[in-house]
Amino acid sequence: HVQLVESGGGSVQVGGSLTLSCVASGDIIGRYCMGWFRKIPDREREGVAGIESDGSTSYADSVKGRFTISQDTAKNMSYLEMNNLKPEDTGMYYCAAAPSCSGLNFYGREYWGQGTQVTVS
């Protein structure tokens, strides 16, 4: 059974930085697709960044050049480094995993964390 737990959210000023972390139970880092999604009020959940088992990454256009996804297989961790944050980045951020993916589209059984709030003002 896979469990994902996010941390690292908080409040930050415009232009600031945050790094979100996701610890995964089970040996999935490096084997599953990992991703970060966000739910912004009045908008549907959207994919922010994804990393495939081969290390290739994908980003939403709105975060390219500002966000970086990475993972540490030894620690079973996925990270989302967020720089130059904007008010429109405010939302609940979720870590997700799936056995296969194409960019930010995940396929197969998906696993989700409980979310961590990011507020930019």
Side-chain angles (χ1 to χ4, degrees):
H1 180 67
V2 175
Q3 288 187 315
L4 304 173
V5 179
E6 305 95 334
S7 61
S11 297
V12 65
Q13 292 184 337
V14 173
S17 299
L18 282 174
T19 297
L20 306 183
S21 300
C22 172
V23 59
S25 66
D27 186 22
I28 66 168
I29 301 295
R31 296 195 304 116
Y32 274 45
C33 295
M34 300 297 298
W36 289 90
F37 294 73
R38 66 186 178 189
K39 179 66 173 72
I40 295 173
D42 298 326
R43 292 175 58 178
E44 293 187 0
R45 187 179 64 198
E46 62 176 349
V48 174
I51 184 166
E52 301 187 28
S53 56
D54 64 359
S56 58
T57 57
S58 300
Y59 296 93
D61 288 342
S62 60
V63 307
K64 283 180 181 177
R66 301 188 297 121
F67 290 13
T68 303
I69 188 171
S70 62
Q71 59 190 16
D72 185 330
T73 56
K75 296 181 178 179
N76 289 327
M77 297 287 293
S78 175
Y79 304 98
L80 183 67
E81 179 183 352
M82 306 184 294
N83 297 310
N84 190 21
L85 283 161
K86 304 176 180 181
E88 51 264 42
D89 295 317
T90 295
M92 186 69 79
Y93 283 70
Y94 298 89
C95 176
S100 64
C101 62
S102 176
L104 296 175
N105 297 304
F106 279 26
Y107 304 104
R109 180 174 181 175
E110 298 175 2
Y111 299 92
W112 293 86
Q114 82 289 349
T116 186
Q117 178 69 34
V118 172
T119 302
V120 185
S121 60

